[in-house]
Amino acid sequence: MQKLSNKQKLSIIIVVALIAVFLQYGLHFPLFAQGLVTIVGAIVALSMLVGMVKSIKQGDYGVDLLAIMAVVATLAVSEYWAAMVILVMLTGGDALEDYAARKANSELKSLLDNSPQKAHLITADGIKEVSVNDLKIGDHVLVKPGELVPVDGQIIEGSTTVDESSLTGESKPVSKEINDEVMSGSVNGDQSFTMQTIKLAADSQYQQVVKLVQTAETTPAHFVRLADRYAVPFTAIAIIIAAAAWWWAGDPARFAEVLVVASPCPLILAAPVAMVSGMSRASRNGIVVKTGSVLEKLAAAKTGAFDKTGTITNGQLTVDEVLPVNGEADDHLLQLAASAEQNSSHILARSLLAYAEERSIQLLPVGKLIETTGKGIQVAVDGQEVKAGKLKFVAPDSQQPLLATTAIYISIDGQYRGAIAFRDHIRPEAVSTMQQLREMGVHHLMMLTGDQAAIANNVAQEVGITDVRTNLLPQDKINALKNVPLDQHPVFMVGDGVNDAPSFVTADVGIAMGAHGATAASESASVVILRDDLSKVATAVDISQDTIKVAKQAVLIGIAICTLLMLVASTGIIPAFVGAMLQEVIDTVSILWALRARRMDR
């Protein structure tokens, strides 16, 4: 049997209430009305009790207890109309939460609504419209003016401008020429172009973002458990006040009157609504956050760890020098290195291939590719064994000194043949980002890089990082994160490559710089920054702190109002029916306050 939605439950409760009103005031059968409300109330209270037991098994305490006690108490003292109002309040509150979540999550849902569905496949028989899921890598696809780019591809004919705002948040159109890559989900301008697909639909940039959004929508916010910590003492206080009022007045109705205004809904609704609102605000800023618990951890973060290349630096390395030895020709060394790296997505490989293209270097086919994570690759090129990567990997016995810059070293058939040096550029926003993080309480900043010490220290000094770990393999980065003292947690790790995925899992929060698309596909990252902008790390922390602040405020405001009303109700001047109506006021105030997290800006 399909589970009823909160809206359907509310509709049923309202219908029951109308029937009860008709029985009492239309047909003058008050006992029938009372019996109907009592039966429905008992069923709802029993279902809530079952849910509460399940919650306790999961480590959540106290949220539903007050509501159950209020329903039972009002029914026990024949205040069945108050019980009915409580039932309407409970189901109405859940329905209101659903509505608020839909409103707060509208930016995220727009991604799903605009997902590419069709593509114009170019075949030998002409142009055929197919599903994007039917496209294969290497297919030629026509993209007409105003259409969504169906999958990630490379332009092979024509030029245009595309709107990538749904992916990056940048509204300015981006010019695209032959050989430029276009991302699925971007909107073509006023010129048709032909592209060759480079990824399947499921692996394309837009679908990866959609998957992250779906995860964000379906994973419950951990902060609900934090709200339960407030619920335990609040429940105890409510029961004490209600019991004291009963003892003082000698009337069990006073117990029910106090519990009626002890609404648990600020605890149930306010925190999750604030979380969804914060996640929505992050989405508008080009940041996809998977769960509410990520916002909690980022808000309390004390340590930030950063990869260097492509993260603190801008990811636009350029070849500085080709340095052959033993009479090796510059172009031949460049040809072998570029051929070996042609299937790699690493930033050095992209820069090397771009430089080879500028020099009109013809790439050679490769075979028997073996990649050693964090060290380099070994391939067969033109009948020779070519290694490219770190010096100790390509030529472990070589006495060649390390270059004082980022470089790829090359050996041919075991003999060291030279290196290609790169010049890197620090992101212009890196210095201000580190300063902002310190101001937000992230006082311990680390650089974890596989690069050599001389290069890393220069970069770290320029951006203001003092804790620098160099020459690290992925396992070394994991160990460095594990060894962060407990009093310096939570820790977030920022990186831009798939090789950072293990570090993302080890850190409390993994933040992927997803501008190139590779990391957006990584399920290991808790946060994906869609814009190529390091300052968005500080923005994510800022939004997280704002969201948690608003969530706590919403919960505490609701608790404060409830406590005040309980004290007033203990005197007997608030009838149970009126007290039940006041619950809706409390809920509305808490939820409206929580929704501030969606628009709050410093």
Side-chain angles (χ1 to χ4, degrees):
M1 182 178 178
Q2 187 176 6
K3 186 177 179 180
L4 294 176
S5 67
N6 290 323
K7 185 177 180 180
Q8 290 171 326
K9 291 178 183 178
L10 176 61
S11 300
I12 292 173
I13 294 295
I14 291 175
V15 169
V16 170
L18 292 175
I19 293 174
V21 169
F22 179 70
L23 287 173
Q24 177 156 341
Y25 298 105
L27 301 179
H28 303 289
F29 293 152
L31 291 179
F32 285 97
Q34 182 176 356
L36 176 62
V37 173
T38 300
I39 292 172
V40 173
I43 293 173
V44 173
L46 181 60
S47 66
M48 290 179 63
L49 180 62
V50 172
M52 186 182 72
V53 172
K54 292 180 180 179
S55 297
I56 291 175
K57 290 181 179 179
Q58 297 173 357
D60 300 338
Y61 304 96
V63 170
D64 294 329
L65 181 58
L66 283 176
I68 296 172
M69 293 180 64
V71 172
V72 173
T74 49
L75 290 175
V77 298
S78 300
E79 291 282 359
Y80 55 94
W81 287 119
M84 177 55 66
V85 172
I86 295 172
L87 294 176
V88 172
M89 177 274 299
L90 290 173
T91 54
D94 290 339
L96 181 59
E97 178 189 8
D98 291 344
Y99 172 76
R102 286 195 301 270
K103 292 292 290 182
N105 216 18
S106 58
E107 286 86 4
L108 298 180
K109 285 183 175 296
S110 67
L111 287 171
L112 302 175
D113 296 336
N114 294 309
S115 179
Q117 302 294 328
K118 298 292 183 181
H120 304 296
L121 177 64
I122 300 176
T123 68
D125 299 326
I127 298 175
K128 179 181 178 183
E129 186 174 277
V130 299
S131 167
V132 293
N133 296 317
D134 294 333
L135 294 177
K136 299 179 179 62
I137 294 176
D139 282 347
H140 289 186
V141 175
L142 175 66
V143 182
K144 298 179 180 180
E147 291 185 338
L148 290 172
V149 177
V151 296
D152 290 359
Q154 185 176 41
I155 296 179
I156 58 175
E157 183 180 337
S159 61
T160 188
T161 58
V162 296
D163 178 0
E164 298 177 343
S165 58
S166 62
L167 297 165
T168 66
E170 297 288 352
S171 58
K172 182 179 179 181
V174 181
S175 297
K176 297 290 183 179
E177 307 289 341
I178 291 177
N179 294 328
D180 285 342
E181 293 185 6
V182 287
M183 295 185 292
S184 64
S186 54
V187 181
N188 186 24
D190 55 4
Q191 299 291 328
S192 297
F193 67 88
T194 302
M195 72 174 198
Q196 180 174 304
T197 62
I198 57 176
K199 288 185 181 179
L200 299 175
D203 300 325
S204 289
Q205 173 82 348
Y206 200 87
Q207 291 303 321
Q208 299 310 313
V209 176
V210 167
K211 288 178 182 178
L212 291 177
V213 171
Q214 291 172 328
T215 302
E217 288 182 316
T218 57
T219 305
H222 174 73
F223 191 78
V224 174
R225 298 182 182 178
L226 180 59
D228 287 345
R229 299 172 200 166
Y230 291 101
V232 173
F234 178 62
T235 300
I237 291 171
I239 293 175
I240 291 172
I241 294 175
W246 183 359
W247 174 80
W248 181 264
D251 183 1
R254 197 67 57 83
F255 183 84
E257 289 168 356
V258 172
L259 290 186
V260 160
V261 297
S263 170
C265 281
L267 304 172
I268 299 172
L269 304 180
V273 169
M275 287 298 174
V276 176
S277 298
M279 291 160 68
S280 173
R281 179 181 164 198
S283 176
R284 291 199 312 274
N285 282 271
I287 304 165
V288 175
V289 179
K290 285 187 177 181
T291 69
S293 64
V294 173
L295 295 176
E296 267 195 274
K297 293 172 184 176
L298 274 182
K302 296 180 180 179
T303 299
F306 296 82
D307 184 28
K308 181 183 73 68
T309 305
T311 302
I312 293 178
T313 59
N314 62 14
Q316 296 179 356
L317 288 93
T318 55
V319 174
D320 191 23
E321 289 183 278
V322 179
L323 304 169
V325 297
N326 299 330
E328 188 73 41
D330 287 16
D331 284 355
H332 186 238
L333 184 68
L334 180 60
Q335 183 184 44
L336 292 177
S339 298
E341 296 279 8
Q342 63 184 295
N343 294 318
S344 174
S345 61
H346 192 275
I347 180 63
L348 292 180
R350 293 199 298 268
S351 301
L352 177 60
L353 291 170
Y355 182 72
E357 184 178 351
E358 291 176 8
R359 295 279 298 270
S360 301
I361 300 296
Q362 182 69 39
L363 300 184
L364 301 172
V366 300
K368 297 182 180 178
L369 187 149
I370 301 173
E371 182 171 0
T372 304
T373 303
K375 294 182 178 180
I377 60 173
Q378 174 182 327
V379 298
V381 181
D382 200 21
Q384 302 173 95
E385 180 190 85
V386 177
K387 285 186 175 181
K390 293 187 175 181
L391 181 59
K392 288 187 176 296
F393 172 72
V394 303
D397 299 326
S398 174
Q399 300 301 312
Q400 179 75 22
L402 288 172
L403 299 174
T405 186
T406 302
I408 292 176
Y409 299 88
I410 301 101
S411 67
I412 302 174
D413 291 332
Q415 297 296 316
Y416 177 72
R417 292 298 183 88
I420 298 175
F422 295 81
R423 182 173 64 253
D424 205 349
H425 307 275
I426 294 174
R427 292 177 182 268
E429 72 274 13
V431 175
S432 60
T433 297
M434 301 305 161
Q435 180 61 32
Q436 290 170 8
L437 289 172
R438 288 192 186 90
E439 292 173 356
M440 294 174 189
V442 187
H443 298 298
H444 183 201
L445 299 176
M446 309 168 64
M447 179 188 292
L448 306 180
T449 178
D451 215 339
Q452 56 183 292
I455 303 169
N457 286 328
N458 288 337
V459 172
Q461 183 177 3
E462 187 169 339
V463 300
I465 295 178
T466 56
D467 189 352
V468 185
R469 318 288 178 88
T470 60
N471 296 300
L472 301 183
L473 296 174
Q475 183 60 48
D476 299 324
K477 292 185 179 181
I478 291 173
N479 293 335
L481 293 169
K482 286 182 177 179
N483 291 331
V484 173
L486 288 177
D487 61 354
Q488 295 181 10
H489 279 256
V491 179
F492 62 79
M493 172 70 192
V494 186
D496 80 319
V498 175
N499 62 307
D500 292 314
S503 300
F504 292 158
V505 175
T506 305
D508 297 306
V509 177
I511 303 178
M513 298 286 290
H516 295 294
T519 50
S522 173
E523 297 179 357
S524 303
S526 307
V527 178
V528 173
I529 295 176
L530 300 179
R531 304 181 192 178
D532 194 14
D533 184 352
L534 186 63
S535 69
K536 293 301 176 182
V537 175
T539 301
V541 175
D542 184 18
I543 291 173
S544 299
Q545 292 180 347
D546 284 349
T547 300
I548 299 304
K549 178 181 177 181
V550 170
K552 289 182 178 180
Q553 288 173 344
V555 170
L556 292 175
I557 286 172
I559 288 177
I561 297 175
C562 285
T563 303
L564 177 62
L565 289 176
M566 282 191 291
L567 293 173
V568 175
S570 67
T571 66
I573 64 175
I574 300 180
F577 179 79
V578 175
M581 296 295 293
L582 288 175
Q583 282 197 12
E584 283 296 337
V585 177
I586 301 170
D587 299 339
T588 301
V589 170
S590 297
I591 289 174
L592 289 176
W593 191 274
L595 283 170
R596 292 176 64 246
R598 185 169 181 249
R599 295 292 180 186
M600 187 176 181
D601 286 301
R602 292 186 174 179

